[in-house]
Amino acid sequence: VTDKFTCQATVKVKALVFKKSELDDYAKQYISSQMVESKTMINDSLKVKYNVKTSDIEKGKIVLSTDFSSEVYQTVDKNYLVTLLVGKNESEIDSVINDELGEQVSEVKVNFWPFWVKRSPTVEKAIKIELKFK
């Protein structure tokens, strides 16, 4: 009988692992391959779920059951849209966007800078279009 003792052991561990980023990339590629060309995937909306169905450590094989999804939107040609917005005021910009994109857009927000400016620039490079998804 003793109050203290020291014990040493050697343990051998084997595991099958994969990078989640590789599974995410596969899901993105698969979803993209199934979409029509006029649609674009919202990357932040990607959802990937998986369960291990079988695994064989000796063979280095794992079978996963996967379920993935992503939201998509109608592709917007920003370059074309910029050409339509040159020199327009806020209401004209709103009108152009609604005429071009219609129901696809839920809200248009126009910011002119500095505050006294009332029309978009006459140089296309100075116009910035930002898409936001809710």
Short mmCIF file of all heavy atoms in Angstrom, two decimals, residues 43-82:
data_model
loop_
_atom_site.label_atom_id
_atom_site.label_comp_id
_atom_site.label_asym_id
_atom_site.label_seq_id
_atom_site.Cartn_x
_atom_site.Cartn_y
_atom_site.Cartn_z
N ASN A 43 -22.85 33.12 -50.70
CA ASN A 43 -21.89 32.29 -49.98
C ASN A 43 -22.15 32.20 -48.48
O ASN A 43 -21.96 31.16 -47.87
CB ASN A 43 -20.46 32.77 -50.23
CG ASN A 43 -19.99 32.43 -51.63
OD1 ASN A 43 -20.37 31.42 -52.20
ND2 ASN A 43 -19.17 33.29 -52.20
N ASP A 44 -22.56 33.29 -47.88
CA ASP A 44 -22.79 33.29 -46.43
C ASP A 44 -24.00 32.46 -46.02
O ASP A 44 -24.20 32.20 -44.83
CB ASP A 44 -22.97 34.72 -45.92
CG ASP A 44 -21.69 35.55 -46.04
OD1 ASP A 44 -20.62 34.94 -46.21
OD2 ASP A 44 -21.77 36.78 -45.95
N SER A 45 -24.81 32.05 -46.99
CA SER A 45 -26.01 31.28 -46.66
C SER A 45 -25.80 29.77 -46.76
O SER A 45 -26.72 29.00 -46.51
CB SER A 45 -27.16 31.69 -47.58
OG SER A 45 -26.94 31.20 -48.89
N LEU A 46 -24.59 29.35 -47.11
CA LEU A 46 -24.31 27.92 -47.26
C LEU A 46 -24.49 27.18 -45.93
O LEU A 46 -23.97 27.59 -44.90
CB LEU A 46 -22.87 27.70 -47.76
CG LEU A 46 -22.45 26.25 -47.96
CD1 LEU A 46 -23.22 25.62 -49.11
CD2 LEU A 46 -20.96 26.16 -48.20
N LYS A 47 -25.28 26.09 -45.98
CA LYS A 47 -25.49 25.25 -44.81
C LYS A 47 -25.09 23.83 -45.19
O LYS A 47 -25.58 23.28 -46.18
CB LYS A 47 -26.94 25.28 -44.37
CG LYS A 47 -27.37 26.63 -43.83
CD LYS A 47 -28.80 26.63 -43.37
CE LYS A 47 -29.12 28.02 -42.84
NZ LYS A 47 -30.35 28.54 -43.30
N VAL A 48 -24.19 23.25 -44.40
CA VAL A 48 -23.72 21.89 -44.66
C VAL A 48 -23.93 21.05 -43.41
O VAL A 48 -23.45 21.41 -42.33
CB VAL A 48 -22.23 21.87 -45.06
CG1 VAL A 48 -21.75 20.45 -45.29
CG2 VAL A 48 -21.98 22.72 -46.29
N LYS A 49 -24.66 19.95 -43.56
CA LYS A 49 -24.86 19.00 -42.47
C LYS A 49 -24.37 17.65 -42.95
O LYS A 49 -24.53 17.31 -44.13
CB LYS A 49 -26.33 18.90 -42.10
CG LYS A 49 -26.94 20.16 -41.56
CD LYS A 49 -28.42 19.98 -41.28
CE LYS A 49 -29.06 21.29 -40.87
NZ LYS A 49 -30.52 21.17 -40.73
N TYR A 50 -23.78 16.88 -42.04
CA TYR A 50 -23.31 15.55 -42.43
C TYR A 50 -23.36 14.60 -41.24
O TYR A 50 -23.29 15.03 -40.09
CB TYR A 50 -21.88 15.60 -42.99
CG TYR A 50 -20.87 16.12 -42.01
CD1 TYR A 50 -20.19 15.25 -41.16
CD2 TYR A 50 -20.59 17.48 -41.91
CE1 TYR A 50 -19.27 15.73 -40.25
CE2 TYR A 50 -19.67 17.96 -41.01
CZ TYR A 50 -19.01 17.08 -40.18
OH TYR A 50 -18.10 17.54 -39.27
N ASN A 51 -23.50 13.33 -41.56
CA ASN A 51 -23.46 12.26 -40.57
C ASN A 51 -22.57 11.16 -41.12
O ASN A 51 -22.60 10.88 -42.32
CB ASN A 51 -24.86 11.68 -40.29
CG ASN A 51 -25.76 12.65 -39.57
OD1 ASN A 51 -25.34 13.28 -38.60
ND2 ASN A 51 -26.97 12.81 -40.05
N VAL A 52 -21.83 10.52 -40.24
CA VAL A 52 -20.99 9.40 -40.65
C VAL A 52 -21.87 8.16 -40.77
O VAL A 52 -22.52 7.76 -39.80
CB VAL A 52 -19.85 9.15 -39.64
CG1 VAL A 52 -19.03 7.94 -40.05
CG2 VAL A 52 -18.97 10.39 -39.52
N LYS A 53 -21.91 7.60 -41.98
CA LYS A 53 -22.68 6.37 -42.18
C LYS A 53 -21.81 5.16 -41.85
O LYS A 53 -22.22 4.30 -41.09
CB LYS A 53 -23.19 6.28 -43.62
CG LYS A 53 -24.32 7.24 -43.91
CD LYS A 53 -24.91 6.96 -45.26
CE LYS A 53 -26.32 6.48 -45.01
NZ LYS A 53 -27.01 6.07 -46.19
N THR A 54 -20.63 5.11 -42.45
CA THR A 54 -19.68 4.03 -42.16
C THR A 54 -18.27 4.60 -42.21
O THR A 54 -18.02 5.60 -42.87
CB THR A 54 -19.78 2.88 -43.20
OG1 THR A 54 -19.43 3.39 -44.49
CG2 THR A 54 -21.15 2.25 -43.23
N SER A 55 -17.40 3.92 -41.50
CA SER A 55 -15.98 4.28 -41.57
C SER A 55 -15.13 3.03 -41.42
O SER A 55 -15.47 2.11 -40.68
CB SER A 55 -15.62 5.30 -40.48
OG SER A 55 -15.80 4.73 -39.20
N ASP A 56 -14.06 2.98 -42.17
CA ASP A 56 -13.12 1.85 -42.12
C ASP A 56 -11.73 2.45 -41.96
O ASP A 56 -11.13 2.93 -42.93
CB ASP A 56 -13.22 1.02 -43.40
CG ASP A 56 -12.38 -0.24 -43.33
OD1 ASP A 56 -11.42 -0.29 -42.52
OD2 ASP A 56 -12.68 -1.17 -44.10
N ILE A 57 -11.26 2.45 -40.74
CA ILE A 57 -9.97 3.08 -40.43
C ILE A 57 -8.84 2.38 -41.17
O ILE A 57 -7.93 3.03 -41.69
CB ILE A 57 -9.73 3.10 -38.90
CG1 ILE A 57 -10.74 4.05 -38.26
CG2 ILE A 57 -8.31 3.54 -38.58
CD1 ILE A 57 -10.70 4.11 -36.76
N GLU A 58 -8.87 1.06 -41.24
CA GLU A 58 -7.80 0.31 -41.90
C GLU A 58 -7.70 0.66 -43.39
O GLU A 58 -6.60 0.77 -43.92
CB GLU A 58 -8.01 -1.20 -41.72
CG GLU A 58 -7.95 -1.66 -40.27
CD GLU A 58 -6.65 -1.27 -39.57
OE1 GLU A 58 -5.57 -1.38 -40.18
OE2 GLU A 58 -6.72 -0.82 -38.41
N LYS A 59 -8.83 0.81 -44.05
CA LYS A 59 -8.83 1.16 -45.47
C LYS A 59 -8.75 2.67 -45.69
O LYS A 59 -8.60 3.14 -46.81
CB LYS A 59 -10.09 0.62 -46.16
CG LYS A 59 -10.10 -0.88 -46.28
CD LYS A 59 -11.34 -1.34 -47.01
CE LYS A 59 -11.36 -2.86 -47.12
NZ LYS A 59 -12.59 -3.35 -47.76
N GLY A 60 -8.91 3.45 -44.63
CA GLY A 60 -8.86 4.91 -44.74
C GLY A 60 -10.07 5.45 -45.49
O GLY A 60 -9.97 6.39 -46.26
N LYS A 61 -11.23 4.84 -45.25
CA LYS A 61 -12.44 5.21 -45.98
C LYS A 61 -13.55 5.58 -45.00
O LYS A 61 -13.76 4.90 -44.00
CB LYS A 61 -12.89 4.03 -46.84
CG LYS A 61 -14.06 4.32 -47.72
CD LYS A 61 -14.38 3.12 -48.59
CE LYS A 61 -15.61 3.36 -49.43
NZ LYS A 61 -15.96 2.21 -50.25
N ILE A 62 -14.25 6.66 -45.35
CA ILE A 62 -15.38 7.10 -44.55
C ILE A 62 -16.52 7.44 -45.51
O ILE A 62 -16.29 8.03 -46.57
CB ILE A 62 -15.00 8.31 -43.65
CG1 ILE A 62 -16.13 8.65 -42.69
CG2 ILE A 62 -14.63 9.51 -44.48
CD1 ILE A 62 -15.72 9.64 -41.60
N VAL A 63 -17.73 7.04 -45.18
CA VAL A 63 -18.90 7.36 -45.98
C VAL A 63 -19.78 8.30 -45.17
O VAL A 63 -20.15 7.98 -44.04
CB VAL A 63 -19.69 6.08 -46.37
CG1 VAL A 63 -20.95 6.45 -47.15
CG2 VAL A 63 -18.81 5.13 -47.18
N LEU A 64 -20.08 9.45 -45.78
CA LEU A 64 -20.88 10.46 -45.11
C LEU A 64 -22.24 10.60 -45.78
O LEU A 64 -22.36 10.47 -47.00
CB LEU A 64 -20.19 11.83 -45.19
CG LEU A 64 -18.82 11.98 -44.56
CD1 LEU A 64 -18.27 13.37 -44.86
CD2 LEU A 64 -18.87 11.74 -43.08
N SER A 65 -23.23 10.87 -44.99
CA SER A 65 -24.54 11.27 -45.49
C SER A 65 -24.55 12.79 -45.38
O SER A 65 -24.36 13.34 -44.29
CB SER A 65 -25.64 10.66 -44.63
OG SER A 65 -26.87 11.22 -44.97
N THR A 66 -24.72 13.47 -46.50
CA THR A 66 -24.63 14.93 -46.49
C THR A 66 -25.95 15.58 -46.88
O THR A 66 -26.75 15.01 -47.62
CB THR A 66 -23.55 15.44 -47.47
OG1 THR A 66 -23.87 14.99 -48.78
CG2 THR A 66 -22.18 14.94 -47.07
N ASP A 67 -26.15 16.76 -46.37
CA ASP A 67 -27.30 17.57 -46.71
C ASP A 67 -26.80 19.01 -46.74
O ASP A 67 -26.34 19.51 -45.72
CB ASP A 67 -28.40 17.40 -45.65
CG ASP A 67 -29.65 18.22 -45.97
OD1 ASP A 67 -29.87 18.54 -47.15
OD2 ASP A 67 -30.38 18.55 -45.02
N PHE A 68 -26.84 19.63 -47.90
CA PHE A 68 -26.39 21.02 -47.97
C PHE A 68 -27.33 21.85 -48.83
O PHE A 68 -28.02 21.34 -49.70
CB PHE A 68 -24.95 21.15 -48.48
CG PHE A 68 -24.56 20.23 -49.59
CD1 PHE A 68 -24.91 20.49 -50.90
CD2 PHE A 68 -23.84 19.08 -49.32
CE1 PHE A 68 -24.54 19.66 -51.93
CE2 PHE A 68 -23.47 18.23 -50.34
CZ PHE A 68 -23.82 18.51 -51.64
N SER A 69 -27.34 23.14 -48.51
CA SER A 69 -28.22 24.07 -49.22
C SER A 69 -27.60 25.47 -49.18
O SER A 69 -26.73 25.75 -48.37
CB SER A 69 -29.60 24.09 -48.58
OG SER A 69 -29.51 24.58 -47.26
N SER A 70 -28.11 26.30 -50.06
CA SER A 70 -27.67 27.69 -50.11
C SER A 70 -28.76 28.52 -50.76
O SER A 70 -29.51 28.02 -51.59
CB SER A 70 -26.38 27.81 -50.94
OG SER A 70 -25.98 29.16 -51.02
N GLU A 71 -28.85 29.76 -50.37
CA GLU A 71 -29.78 30.67 -51.01
C GLU A 71 -29.12 31.19 -52.29
O GLU A 71 -27.89 31.31 -52.34
CB GLU A 71 -30.13 31.82 -50.08
CG GLU A 71 -30.91 31.37 -48.87
CD GLU A 71 -31.24 32.52 -47.93
OE1 GLU A 71 -31.33 33.67 -48.40
OE2 GLU A 71 -31.36 32.25 -46.73
N VAL A 72 -29.93 31.49 -53.28
CA VAL A 72 -29.42 32.01 -54.54
C VAL A 72 -30.21 33.26 -54.92
O VAL A 72 -31.30 33.49 -54.41
CB VAL A 72 -29.50 30.97 -55.68
CG1 VAL A 72 -28.63 29.76 -55.38
CG2 VAL A 72 -30.93 30.54 -55.93
N TYR A 73 -29.64 34.04 -55.81
CA TYR A 73 -30.33 35.22 -56.30
C TYR A 73 -30.06 35.38 -57.79
O TYR A 73 -29.09 34.82 -58.32
CB TYR A 73 -29.91 36.48 -55.53
CG TYR A 73 -28.46 36.90 -55.74
CD1 TYR A 73 -28.12 37.85 -56.70
CD2 TYR A 73 -27.44 36.34 -54.98
CE1 TYR A 73 -26.81 38.23 -56.88
CE2 TYR A 73 -26.12 36.72 -55.17
CZ TYR A 73 -25.81 37.66 -56.12
OH TYR A 73 -24.51 38.04 -56.32
N GLN A 74 -30.91 36.13 -58.43
CA GLN A 74 -30.74 36.42 -59.85
C GLN A 74 -29.48 37.26 -60.01
O GLN A 74 -29.30 38.28 -59.34
CB GLN A 74 -31.96 37.20 -60.36
CG GLN A 74 -31.95 37.46 -61.85
CD GLN A 74 -32.15 36.19 -62.66
OE1 GLN A 74 -32.85 35.28 -62.23
NE2 GLN A 74 -31.52 36.12 -63.80
N THR A 75 -28.57 36.84 -60.87
CA THR A 75 -27.32 37.56 -61.08
C THR A 75 -27.60 38.99 -61.55
O THR A 75 -28.45 39.21 -62.41
CB THR A 75 -26.45 36.83 -62.13
OG1 THR A 75 -26.22 35.50 -61.67
CG2 THR A 75 -25.12 37.52 -62.33
N VAL A 76 -26.86 39.92 -60.96
CA VAL A 76 -27.00 41.33 -61.30
C VAL A 76 -25.72 41.78 -62.00
O VAL A 76 -24.63 41.64 -61.45
CB VAL A 76 -27.24 42.19 -60.03
CG1 VAL A 76 -27.27 43.67 -60.37
CG2 VAL A 76 -28.51 41.75 -59.33
N ASP A 77 -25.86 42.31 -63.20
CA ASP A 77 -24.70 42.82 -63.94
C ASP A 77 -24.45 44.25 -63.46
O ASP A 77 -25.05 45.21 -63.94
CB ASP A 77 -24.98 42.79 -65.43
CG ASP A 77 -23.77 43.21 -66.27
OD1 ASP A 77 -22.78 43.71 -65.69
OD2 ASP A 77 -23.84 43.06 -67.50
N LYS A 78 -23.56 44.37 -62.48
CA LYS A 78 -23.28 45.68 -61.88
C LYS A 78 -22.71 46.67 -62.90
O LYS A 78 -23.03 47.85 -62.86
CB LYS A 78 -22.32 45.54 -60.71
CG LYS A 78 -22.90 44.84 -59.51
CD LYS A 78 -21.84 44.82 -58.40
CE LYS A 78 -22.28 44.02 -57.22
NZ LYS A 78 -21.23 44.00 -56.18
N ASN A 79 -21.86 46.18 -63.79
CA ASN A 79 -21.24 47.08 -64.79
C ASN A 79 -22.30 47.70 -65.69
O ASN A 79 -22.25 48.89 -65.99
CB ASN A 79 -20.20 46.33 -65.62
CG ASN A 79 -19.02 45.87 -64.78
OD1 ASN A 79 -18.64 46.54 -63.83
ND2 ASN A 79 -18.47 44.74 -65.12
N TYR A 80 -23.25 46.89 -66.12
CA TYR A 80 -24.34 47.40 -66.96
C TYR A 80 -25.19 48.39 -66.17
O TYR A 80 -25.55 49.45 -66.67
CB TYR A 80 -25.20 46.24 -67.47
CG TYR A 80 -26.46 46.68 -68.16
CD1 TYR A 80 -26.42 47.33 -69.39
CD2 TYR A 80 -27.70 46.47 -67.56
CE1 TYR A 80 -27.59 47.75 -70.02
CE2 TYR A 80 -28.87 46.89 -68.19
CZ TYR A 80 -28.81 47.52 -69.41
OH TYR A 80 -29.96 47.93 -70.02
N LEU A 81 -25.49 48.04 -64.94
CA LEU A 81 -26.32 48.90 -64.09
C LEU A 81 -25.65 50.25 -63.85
O LEU A 81 -26.32 51.29 -63.88
CB LEU A 81 -26.59 48.19 -62.77
CG LEU A 81 -27.85 48.53 -62.01
CD1 LEU A 81 -29.08 48.45 -62.89
CD2 LEU A 81 -28.01 47.63 -60.81
N VAL A 82 -24.35 50.25 -63.64
CA VAL A 82 -23.61 51.50 -63.42
C VAL A 82 -23.78 52.43 -64.62
O VAL A 82 -23.98 53.63 -64.47
CB VAL A 82 -22.12 51.22 -63.14
CG1 VAL A 82 -21.27 52.47 -63.33
CG2 VAL A 82 -21.93 50.68 -61.73
#
